[in-house]
């Protein structure tokens, strides 16, 4: 989009008018309006869509009008509340990459569907503390790196195929960093990173090199010994009685991650944050199609699911106000 995106020429909010309503935007005009806001606001922009389908459509429209992909998505888990299914690894990677960008100090053009605002997230300092970078020529203790990867939620496998996985093969360490477009093969010479080569996860063939990679945590919660200990303590505080009867408690105690553990995220932290806590003070928020009005229906679904599933002693549930932000 040229000339700072002035096709529609819509006014943006300012100190005198902190909230504006753009009306009579038909067809793809909401996407064009959002693209203009993204182009014209120098700081972070958060565009809120009413659903996952609306988010995908909006992303396509913004990309079309902007002429290139300039946005990051922050989707919800795409599961029903309290469902014992964990999100796909690539979806988690997309969320974590967005959170990292928001903590980096750079302006982010973020697309989010409204339901994602209900979810509880790690405090912003968690992302930075659990991230690390590797460069060619850097001294590296392979045993220390593999231990850190496990503690940061990465899964050790025989062959890397998805984000959040790593494999050790002699002097080589294959790693698919969270948020990266493709995995990287780390070639070590003694304790020095000799090369970082990108490779195709399907063919396992290298196809280029890079000088530096960023390794984000693989999950939105810690999973080292201290985190497991904290989880157990908070679980016993929240669910008094016999925690050993719970499959969730037993699995975490044995360093296993049960499906749907994301809905117990608050038990891994002393405090949690909202996505809004990650946004800088000068963020321009663009709400499309009265998206936030649908949060009432989304919250009703959370409460209905809680009432339906709360009786399972093997999988006791956090109350809605503890698992989500009302």
């Amino acid at each position: 989009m040229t000339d700072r995106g002035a096709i529609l020429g819509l006014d943006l909010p300012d100190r005198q008018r902190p909230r504006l309503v753009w009306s009579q935007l038909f067809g793809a005009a909401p996407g064009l309006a959002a693209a203009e806001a993204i182009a014209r606001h120098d700081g972070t922009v958060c565009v809120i869509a009413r659903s996952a389908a609306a988010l995908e459509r909006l992303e396509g429209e913004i990309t079309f009008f902007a002429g290139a992909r300039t946005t990051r998505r922050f989707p919800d888990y795409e599961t029903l509340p309290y469902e014992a299914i964990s999100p796909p690894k690539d979806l988690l990677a997309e969320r974590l990459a967005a959170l990292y960008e928001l903590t980096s100090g750079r302006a982010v053009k973020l697309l989010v569907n409204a339901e994602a605002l209900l979810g509880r997230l790690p405090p912003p300092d968690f992302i930075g503390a659990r991230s690390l970078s590797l460069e060619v020529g850097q001294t590296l203790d392979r045993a220390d790196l593999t231990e850190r990867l496990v503690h940061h939620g990465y899964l050790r496998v025989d062959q890397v195929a998805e984000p959040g996985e790593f494999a050790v093969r002699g002097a080589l360490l294959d790693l698919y960093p969270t948020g990266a477009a493709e995995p990287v093969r780390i070639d070590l010479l003694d304790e020095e990173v000799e090369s970082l080569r990108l490779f195709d996860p399907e063919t396992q063939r290298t196809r280029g090199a890079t000088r530096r990679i960023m390794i984000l945590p693989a999950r939105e919660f810690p999973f080292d010994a201290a985190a497991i200990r904290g989880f157990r303590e908070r679980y016993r505080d929240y669910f008094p009685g016999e925690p050993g009867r719970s499959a969730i408690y037993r699995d975490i105690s044995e360093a296993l991650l049960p499906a749907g553990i994301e809905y117990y995220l608050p038990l891994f932290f002393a405090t949690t944050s909202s996505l809004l806590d990650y946004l800088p003070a000068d963020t321009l928020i663009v709400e499309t199609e009265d998206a936030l009005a649908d949060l009432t229906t989304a919250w009703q679904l959370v409460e209905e699911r809680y009432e339906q599933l709360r009786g399972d002693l093997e999988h006791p549930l956090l109350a809605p106000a503890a698992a989500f932000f009302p």
Side-chain angles (χ1 to χ4, degrees):
M1 186 176 292
T2 60
D3 298 330
R4 301 288 288 169
I7 296 175
L8 292 177
L10 299 170
D11 291 336
L12 295 184
D14 54 31
R15 292 184 182 277
Q16 284 69 42
R17 297 179 301 169
R19 178 180 173 88
L20 296 177
V21 177
W22 300 332
S23 59
Q24 299 190 26
L25 299 176
F26 305 111
L32 174 58
E36 289 196 6
I38 287 171
R40 293 167 55 198
H41 184 69
D42 291 331
T44 291
V45 178
C46 179
V47 182
I48 305 174
R50 66 186 310 167
S51 66
L55 180 69
E56 186 172 352
R57 182 180 68 252
L58 192 65
E59 182 181 33
E61 292 171 353
I62 292 173
T63 300
F64 174 80
F65 290 120
R69 182 170 180 176
T70 59
T71 59
R72 275 202 177 274
R73 292 200 315 168
F74 187 83
D76 64 20
Y77 286 146
E78 297 184 1
T79 60
L80 289 171
Y82 297 114
E83 192 167 15
I85 298 176
S86 287
K89 291 179 180 178
D90 57 349
L91 185 147
L92 288 175
E94 190 171 27
R95 286 168 57 94
L96 282 157
L99 293 180
Y100 176 77
E101 285 292 316
L102 288 170
T103 61
S104 69
R106 295 184 289 271
V108 181
K109 313 304 181 180
L110 188 70
L111 305 182
V112 56
N113 58 307
E115 286 187 31
L117 299 177
L118 296 178
R120 290 189 177 269
L121 298 172
D125 59 3
F126 166 80
I127 303 296
R130 297 273 169 161
S131 302
L132 64 147
S133 63
L134 287 183
E135 297 183 5
V136 173
Q138 178 179 336
T139 300
L140 176 67
D141 185 306
R142 185 175 60 181
D144 177 67
L145 176 61
T146 56
E147 183 178 0
R148 293 181 69 177
L149 289 174
V150 171
H151 289 171
H152 293 184
Y154 283 79
L155 179 65
R156 184 167 182 170
V157 296
D158 292 330
Q159 183 171 293
V160 167
E162 296 182 300
E165 296 180 342
F166 76 98
V168 178
R169 299 184 299 127
L172 300 177
L173 191 150
D174 289 352
L175 171 66
Y176 205 144
T178 294
E182 51 194 341
V184 63
R185 183 158 291 151
I186 305 169
D187 193 355
L188 295 174
L189 179 62
D190 295 327
E191 292 188 347
E192 181 180 320
V193 178
E194 186 174 32
S195 66
L196 297 171
R197 293 175 291 162
L198 306 176
F199 68 92
D200 186 326
E202 293 186 3
T203 65
Q204 297 292 301
R205 293 179 178 175
T206 57
R207 57 182 186 188
T210 184
R211 296 289 303 176
R212 181 178 181 272
I213 60 169
M214 176 60 66
I215 305 174
L216 307 183
R219 300 185 181 276
E220 295 172 11
F221 53 85
F223 203 55
D224 52 21
I228 291 173
R229 189 162 53 248
F231 180 98
R232 285 160 53 91
E233 292 172 357
R234 296 184 191 98
Y235 188 102
R236 291 193 297 267
D237 289 340
Y238 194 90
F239 300 110
E242 302 179 41
R245 297 178 61 183
S246 164
I248 298 293
Y249 184 86
R250 294 196 303 269
D251 283 349
I252 295 298
S253 298
E254 297 172 9
L256 302 174
L257 286 173
I261 188 60
E262 289 73 20
Y263 291 111
Y264 296 86
L265 180 144
L267 297 182
F268 286 99
F269 298 99
T271 59
T272 55
S273 296
S274 159
L275 180 64
L276 301 179
D277 296 321
Y278 282 78
L279 301 180
D282 64 346
T283 298
L284 174 64
I285 296 180
V286 181
E287 177 192 1
T288 64
E289 303 178 294
D290 200 21
L292 295 180
D294 287 347
L295 287 181
T296 300
T297 302
W299 184 254
Q300 289 173 347
L301 178 61
V302 169
E303 293 182 317
E304 290 171 5
R305 292 278 297 174
Y306 176 73
E307 293 300 326
Q308 292 169 2
L309 303 172
R310 63 183 299 185
D312 188 348
L313 297 179
E314 282 274 304
H315 298 84
L317 303 179
L318 294 174
F324 301 87
F325 282 106

Short mmCIF file of all heavy atoms in Angstrom, two decimals, residues 53-96:
data_model
loop_
_atom_site.label_atom_id
_atom_site.label_comp_id
_atom_site.label_asym_id
_atom_site.label_seq_id
_atom_site.Cartn_x
_atom_site.Cartn_y
_atom_site.Cartn_z
N ALA A 53 -12.76 -17.82 11.84
CA ALA A 53 -13.00 -17.72 10.40
C ALA A 53 -12.88 -16.27 9.93
O ALA A 53 -12.29 -15.99 8.87
CB ALA A 53 -14.39 -18.27 10.07
N ALA A 54 -13.42 -15.35 10.73
CA ALA A 54 -13.31 -13.92 10.38
C ALA A 54 -11.86 -13.47 10.41
O ALA A 54 -11.44 -12.63 9.59
CB ALA A 54 -14.16 -13.09 11.33
N LEU A 55 -11.08 -14.01 11.34
CA LEU A 55 -9.67 -13.66 11.44
C LEU A 55 -8.92 -14.08 10.18
O LEU A 55 -8.11 -13.32 9.64
CB LEU A 55 -9.05 -14.33 12.67
CG LEU A 55 -7.57 -14.07 12.92
CD1 LEU A 55 -7.35 -12.62 13.33
CD2 LEU A 55 -7.03 -15.00 14.01
N GLU A 56 -9.19 -15.29 9.71
CA GLU A 56 -8.52 -15.78 8.50
C GLU A 56 -8.90 -14.94 7.29
O GLU A 56 -8.03 -14.59 6.47
CB GLU A 56 -8.90 -17.24 8.27
CG GLU A 56 -8.15 -17.89 7.13
CD GLU A 56 -8.39 -19.39 7.04
OE1 GLU A 56 -9.02 -19.95 7.96
OE2 GLU A 56 -7.96 -19.99 6.04
N ARG A 57 -10.17 -14.59 7.19
CA ARG A 57 -10.61 -13.75 6.07
C ARG A 57 -9.97 -12.37 6.14
O ARG A 57 -9.49 -11.84 5.14
CB ARG A 57 -12.13 -13.63 6.09
CG ARG A 57 -12.69 -12.81 4.91
CD ARG A 57 -14.20 -12.71 4.95
NE ARG A 57 -14.68 -11.91 6.07
CZ ARG A 57 -15.29 -12.39 7.14
NH1 ARG A 57 -15.51 -13.69 7.25
NH2 ARG A 57 -15.69 -11.59 8.11
N LEU A 58 -9.94 -11.82 7.33
CA LEU A 58 -9.37 -10.49 7.52
C LEU A 58 -7.88 -10.48 7.18
O LEU A 58 -7.37 -9.54 6.57
CB LEU A 58 -9.59 -10.04 8.96
CG LEU A 58 -9.32 -8.57 9.30
CD1 LEU A 58 -10.30 -7.68 8.55
CD2 LEU A 58 -9.47 -8.36 10.81
N GLU A 59 -7.18 -11.53 7.58
CA GLU A 59 -5.75 -11.62 7.28
C GLU A 59 -5.51 -11.61 5.77
O GLU A 59 -4.61 -10.94 5.28
CB GLU A 59 -5.15 -12.87 7.90
CG GLU A 59 -3.66 -13.02 7.67
CD GLU A 59 -3.09 -14.30 8.27
OE1 GLU A 59 -3.82 -15.32 8.28
OE2 GLU A 59 -1.94 -14.28 8.71
N GLY A 60 -6.35 -12.37 5.05
CA GLY A 60 -6.21 -12.39 3.60
C GLY A 60 -6.46 -11.04 2.96
O GLY A 60 -5.74 -10.62 2.04
N GLU A 61 -7.46 -10.32 3.47
CA GLU A 61 -7.78 -9.00 2.93
C GLU A 61 -6.66 -8.00 3.22
O GLU A 61 -6.27 -7.22 2.34
CB GLU A 61 -9.10 -8.51 3.51
CG GLU A 61 -10.31 -9.32 3.03
CD GLU A 61 -11.58 -8.96 3.78
OE1 GLU A 61 -11.51 -8.17 4.76
OE2 GLU A 61 -12.64 -9.45 3.39
N ILE A 62 -6.15 -8.02 4.45
CA ILE A 62 -5.08 -7.09 4.80
C ILE A 62 -3.83 -7.36 3.97
O ILE A 62 -3.17 -6.44 3.48
CB ILE A 62 -4.76 -7.18 6.30
CG1 ILE A 62 -5.94 -6.63 7.12
CG2 ILE A 62 -3.48 -6.43 6.65
CD1 ILE A 62 -5.80 -6.83 8.62
N THR A 63 -3.51 -8.65 3.79
CA THR A 63 -2.35 -9.01 2.97
C THR A 63 -2.53 -8.53 1.54
O THR A 63 -1.60 -8.02 0.90
CB THR A 63 -2.12 -10.53 3.00
OG1 THR A 63 -1.89 -10.95 4.35
CG2 THR A 63 -0.93 -10.93 2.14
N PHE A 64 -3.75 -8.67 1.01
CA PHE A 64 -4.03 -8.23 -0.36
C PHE A 64 -3.84 -6.72 -0.50
O PHE A 64 -3.17 -6.24 -1.41
CB PHE A 64 -5.46 -8.61 -0.75
CG PHE A 64 -5.89 -8.07 -2.08
CD1 PHE A 64 -5.51 -8.70 -3.26
CD2 PHE A 64 -6.68 -6.93 -2.17
CE1 PHE A 64 -5.90 -8.19 -4.50
CE2 PHE A 64 -7.07 -6.41 -3.40
CZ PHE A 64 -6.68 -7.04 -4.56
N PHE A 65 -4.41 -5.97 0.43
CA PHE A 65 -4.35 -4.51 0.31
C PHE A 65 -2.96 -3.96 0.65
O PHE A 65 -2.54 -2.96 0.09
CB PHE A 65 -5.40 -3.87 1.21
CG PHE A 65 -6.81 -4.07 0.74
CD1 PHE A 65 -7.74 -4.72 1.53
CD2 PHE A 65 -7.21 -3.62 -0.51
CE1 PHE A 65 -9.03 -4.92 1.09
CE2 PHE A 65 -8.51 -3.82 -0.96
CZ PHE A 65 -9.42 -4.47 -0.15
N ALA A 66 -2.27 -4.63 1.58
CA ALA A 66 -0.94 -4.14 1.97
C ALA A 66 0.13 -4.53 0.97
O ALA A 66 1.21 -3.95 0.96
CB ALA A 66 -0.58 -4.66 3.36
N GLY A 67 -0.15 -5.55 0.16
CA GLY A 67 0.82 -5.98 -0.85
C GLY A 67 1.85 -6.94 -0.33
O GLY A 67 2.70 -7.42 -1.06
N ALA A 68 1.84 -7.24 0.98
CA ALA A 68 2.78 -8.19 1.59
C ALA A 68 2.23 -8.54 2.96
O ALA A 68 1.42 -7.81 3.53
CB ALA A 68 4.17 -7.58 1.72
N ARG A 69 2.68 -9.66 3.49
CA ARG A 69 2.23 -10.04 4.82
C ARG A 69 3.01 -9.23 5.86
O ARG A 69 4.22 -9.37 6.00
CB ARG A 69 2.44 -11.54 5.06
CG ARG A 69 1.93 -11.98 6.43
CD ARG A 69 1.90 -13.47 6.59
NE ARG A 69 1.41 -13.83 7.92
CZ ARG A 69 1.20 -15.07 8.33
NH1 ARG A 69 1.44 -16.07 7.51
NH2 ARG A 69 0.76 -15.32 9.53
N THR A 70 2.29 -8.39 6.57
CA THR A 70 2.92 -7.51 7.54
C THR A 70 2.42 -7.78 8.96
O THR A 70 2.79 -7.07 9.88
CB THR A 70 2.62 -6.04 7.20
OG1 THR A 70 1.20 -5.84 7.20
CG2 THR A 70 3.18 -5.66 5.84
N THR A 71 1.59 -8.80 9.12
CA THR A 71 0.92 -9.03 10.40
C THR A 71 1.36 -10.34 11.05
O THR A 71 1.90 -11.22 10.39
CB THR A 71 -0.60 -9.06 10.21
OG1 THR A 71 -0.93 -10.11 9.28
CG2 THR A 71 -1.11 -7.74 9.68
N ARG A 72 1.08 -10.42 12.34
CA ARG A 72 1.21 -11.67 13.10
C ARG A 72 -0.15 -12.03 13.65
O ARG A 72 -0.90 -11.17 14.09
CB ARG A 72 2.21 -11.52 14.25
CG ARG A 72 3.65 -11.73 13.85
CD ARG A 72 4.49 -12.10 15.05
NE ARG A 72 5.86 -12.37 14.68
CZ ARG A 72 6.31 -13.55 14.28
NH1 ARG A 72 5.46 -14.56 14.18
NH2 ARG A 72 7.57 -13.72 13.98
N ARG A 73 -0.45 -13.32 13.67
CA ARG A 73 -1.72 -13.77 14.24
C ARG A 73 -1.52 -14.27 15.66
O ARG A 73 -0.49 -14.84 15.99
CB ARG A 73 -2.31 -14.91 13.40
CG ARG A 73 -2.77 -14.51 12.02
CD ARG A 73 -3.75 -15.51 11.45
NE ARG A 73 -3.30 -16.90 11.64
CZ ARG A 73 -4.09 -17.96 11.43
NH1 ARG A 73 -5.32 -17.80 11.04
NH2 ARG A 73 -3.61 -19.17 11.59
N PHE A 74 -2.53 -14.06 16.48
CA PHE A 74 -2.59 -14.69 17.79
C PHE A 74 -3.94 -15.39 17.90
O PHE A 74 -4.93 -14.81 18.34
CB PHE A 74 -2.41 -13.68 18.92
CG PHE A 74 -2.29 -14.33 20.27
CD1 PHE A 74 -1.06 -14.81 20.71
CD2 PHE A 74 -3.39 -14.49 21.10
CE1 PHE A 74 -0.93 -15.44 21.93
CE2 PHE A 74 -3.28 -15.12 22.33
CZ PHE A 74 -2.05 -15.59 22.75
N PRO A 75 -4.01 -16.66 17.46
CA PRO A 75 -5.28 -17.38 17.48
C PRO A 75 -5.59 -17.92 18.86
O PRO A 75 -4.72 -18.00 19.73
CB PRO A 75 -5.03 -18.53 16.49
CG PRO A 75 -3.55 -18.80 16.63
CD PRO A 75 -2.91 -17.46 16.90
N ASP A 76 -6.84 -18.31 19.09
CA ASP A 76 -7.15 -19.03 20.31
C ASP A 76 -6.73 -20.49 20.12
O ASP A 76 -6.16 -20.86 19.09
CB ASP A 76 -8.63 -18.90 20.68
CG ASP A 76 -9.57 -19.52 19.64
OD1 ASP A 76 -9.12 -20.37 18.85
OD2 ASP A 76 -10.76 -19.15 19.62
N TYR A 77 -7.01 -21.35 21.11
CA TYR A 77 -6.55 -22.74 21.03
C TYR A 77 -7.30 -23.56 19.99
O TYR A 77 -6.90 -24.69 19.67
CB TYR A 77 -6.70 -23.41 22.39
CG TYR A 77 -5.68 -22.98 23.42
CD1 TYR A 77 -6.04 -22.90 24.77
CD2 TYR A 77 -4.38 -22.66 23.07
CE1 TYR A 77 -5.11 -22.51 25.73
CE2 TYR A 77 -3.46 -22.27 24.02
CZ TYR A 77 -3.83 -22.19 25.35
OH TYR A 77 -2.91 -21.81 26.30
N GLU A 78 -8.42 -23.03 19.49
CA GLU A 78 -9.26 -23.74 18.51
C GLU A 78 -9.77 -25.07 19.06
O GLU A 78 -9.93 -26.05 18.33
CB GLU A 78 -8.50 -23.94 17.19
CG GLU A 78 -8.14 -22.62 16.51
CD GLU A 78 -7.49 -22.79 15.16
OE1 GLU A 78 -7.33 -23.94 14.71
OE2 GLU A 78 -7.11 -21.77 14.55
N THR A 79 -9.99 -25.12 20.38
CA THR A 79 -10.64 -26.25 21.02
C THR A 79 -11.77 -25.70 21.88
O THR A 79 -11.80 -24.52 22.21
CB THR A 79 -9.68 -27.05 21.91
OG1 THR A 79 -9.16 -26.18 22.95
CG2 THR A 79 -8.51 -27.60 21.10
N LEU A 80 -12.71 -26.56 22.25
CA LEU A 80 -13.77 -26.15 23.16
C LEU A 80 -13.18 -25.91 24.54
O LEU A 80 -12.18 -26.55 24.91
CB LEU A 80 -14.85 -27.22 23.23
CG LEU A 80 -15.72 -27.38 21.98
CD1 LEU A 80 -16.60 -28.62 22.12
CD2 LEU A 80 -16.57 -26.15 21.74
N PRO A 81 -13.74 -25.00 25.33
CA PRO A 81 -13.23 -24.77 26.69
C PRO A 81 -13.16 -26.08 27.49
O PRO A 81 -14.10 -26.88 27.46
CB PRO A 81 -14.26 -23.81 27.29
CG PRO A 81 -14.85 -23.10 26.12
CD PRO A 81 -14.88 -24.11 25.01
N TYR A 82 -12.04 -26.29 28.14
CA TYR A 82 -11.79 -27.46 29.00
C TYR A 82 -11.66 -28.77 28.22
O TYR A 82 -11.59 -29.84 28.83
CB TYR A 82 -12.91 -27.63 30.04
CG TYR A 82 -13.03 -26.49 31.01
CD1 TYR A 82 -14.17 -25.67 31.01
CD2 TYR A 82 -12.06 -26.23 31.96
CE1 TYR A 82 -14.30 -24.62 31.91
CE2 TYR A 82 -12.18 -25.19 32.87
CZ TYR A 82 -13.30 -24.39 32.84
OH TYR A 82 -13.43 -23.36 33.73
N GLU A 83 -11.59 -28.70 26.90
CA GLU A 83 -11.49 -29.94 26.13
C GLU A 83 -10.13 -30.60 26.36
O GLU A 83 -9.10 -29.92 26.37
CB GLU A 83 -11.68 -29.66 24.65
CG GLU A 83 -11.87 -30.91 23.81
CD GLU A 83 -12.39 -30.58 22.41
OE1 GLU A 83 -12.32 -29.40 22.01
OE2 GLU A 83 -12.85 -31.51 21.74
N ALA A 84 -10.14 -31.92 26.55
CA ALA A 84 -8.90 -32.66 26.81
C ALA A 84 -8.15 -32.93 25.51
O ALA A 84 -7.81 -34.06 25.17
CB ALA A 84 -9.22 -33.97 27.52
N ILE A 85 -7.91 -31.88 24.77
CA ILE A 85 -7.15 -31.93 23.52
C ILE A 85 -6.19 -30.75 23.53
O ILE A 85 -6.60 -29.62 23.79
CB ILE A 85 -8.07 -31.84 22.29
CG1 ILE A 85 -9.04 -33.02 22.24
CG2 ILE A 85 -7.24 -31.77 21.01
CD1 ILE A 85 -10.04 -32.94 21.10
N SER A 86 -4.91 -30.99 23.26
CA SER A 86 -3.95 -29.90 23.18
C SER A 86 -3.92 -29.33 21.77
O SER A 86 -4.11 -30.06 20.79
CB SER A 86 -2.56 -30.37 23.58
OG SER A 86 -2.49 -30.58 24.98
N PRO A 87 -3.69 -28.04 21.62
CA PRO A 87 -3.64 -27.42 20.29
C PRO A 87 -2.48 -27.99 19.48
O PRO A 87 -1.49 -28.49 20.03
CB PRO A 87 -3.41 -25.94 20.59
CG PRO A 87 -3.77 -25.76 22.03
CD PRO A 87 -3.47 -27.06 22.70
N PRO A 88 -2.54 -27.91 18.15
CA PRO A 88 -1.43 -28.34 17.30
C PRO A 88 -0.17 -27.54 17.63
O PRO A 88 -0.24 -26.38 18.05
CB PRO A 88 -1.92 -28.03 15.89
CG PRO A 88 -3.41 -27.93 15.99
CD PRO A 88 -3.69 -27.43 17.37
N LYS A 89 0.97 -28.16 17.43
CA LYS A 89 2.23 -27.49 17.77
C LYS A 89 2.46 -26.23 16.95
O LYS A 89 3.03 -25.26 17.45
CB LYS A 89 3.39 -28.47 17.58
CG LYS A 89 3.41 -29.62 18.59
CD LYS A 89 4.56 -30.56 18.34
CE LYS A 89 4.57 -31.71 19.34
NZ LYS A 89 5.66 -32.67 19.08
N ASP A 90 2.02 -26.25 15.68
CA ASP A 90 2.25 -25.06 14.88
C ASP A 90 1.39 -23.89 15.35
O ASP A 90 1.79 -22.73 15.24
CB ASP A 90 2.02 -25.36 13.39
CG ASP A 90 0.62 -25.90 13.11
OD1 ASP A 90 -0.10 -26.25 14.07
OD2 ASP A 90 0.25 -25.99 11.92
N LEU A 91 0.22 -24.18 15.91
CA LEU A 91 -0.61 -23.11 16.46
C LEU A 91 0.03 -22.54 17.72
O LEU A 91 0.07 -21.31 17.90
CB LEU A 91 -2.02 -23.64 16.75
CG LEU A 91 -3.07 -22.63 17.21
CD1 LEU A 91 -4.46 -23.02 16.71
CD2 LEU A 91 -3.10 -22.49 18.74
N LEU A 92 0.53 -23.40 18.59
CA LEU A 92 1.23 -22.92 19.78
C LEU A 92 2.46 -22.09 19.39
O LEU A 92 2.76 -21.08 20.02
CB LEU A 92 1.64 -24.11 20.66
CG LEU A 92 0.52 -24.83 21.40
CD1 LEU A 92 1.08 -26.06 22.13
CD2 LEU A 92 -0.18 -23.92 22.39
N ALA A 93 3.15 -22.54 18.36
CA ALA A 93 4.34 -21.82 17.90
C ALA A 93 3.95 -20.42 17.41
O ALA A 93 4.66 -19.44 17.66
CB ALA A 93 5.03 -22.60 16.78
N GLU A 94 2.83 -20.33 16.70
CA GLU A 94 2.37 -19.03 16.20
C GLU A 94 2.04 -18.09 17.36
O GLU A 94 2.38 -16.91 17.34
CB GLU A 94 1.13 -19.25 15.32
CG GLU A 94 0.69 -18.03 14.55
CD GLU A 94 -0.39 -18.35 13.54
OE1 GLU A 94 -1.15 -19.32 13.75
OE2 GLU A 94 -0.48 -17.62 12.54
N ARG A 95 1.39 -18.62 18.39
CA ARG A 95 1.05 -17.81 19.56
C ARG A 95 2.31 -17.33 20.28
O ARG A 95 2.44 -16.16 20.65
CB ARG A 95 0.17 -18.62 20.51
CG ARG A 95 -1.26 -18.82 20.04
CD ARG A 95 -1.98 -19.88 20.87
NE ARG A 95 -1.99 -19.59 22.29
CZ ARG A 95 -2.99 -18.97 22.92
NH1 ARG A 95 -4.06 -18.56 22.26
NH2 ARG A 95 -2.95 -18.77 24.24
N LEU A 96 3.25 -18.24 20.50
CA LEU A 96 4.47 -17.89 21.22
C LEU A 96 5.32 -16.89 20.45
O LEU A 96 5.92 -15.99 21.04
CB LEU A 96 5.26 -19.15 21.54
CG LEU A 96 4.72 -19.97 22.71
CD1 LEU A 96 5.14 -21.42 22.63
CD2 LEU A 96 5.15 -19.37 24.04
#
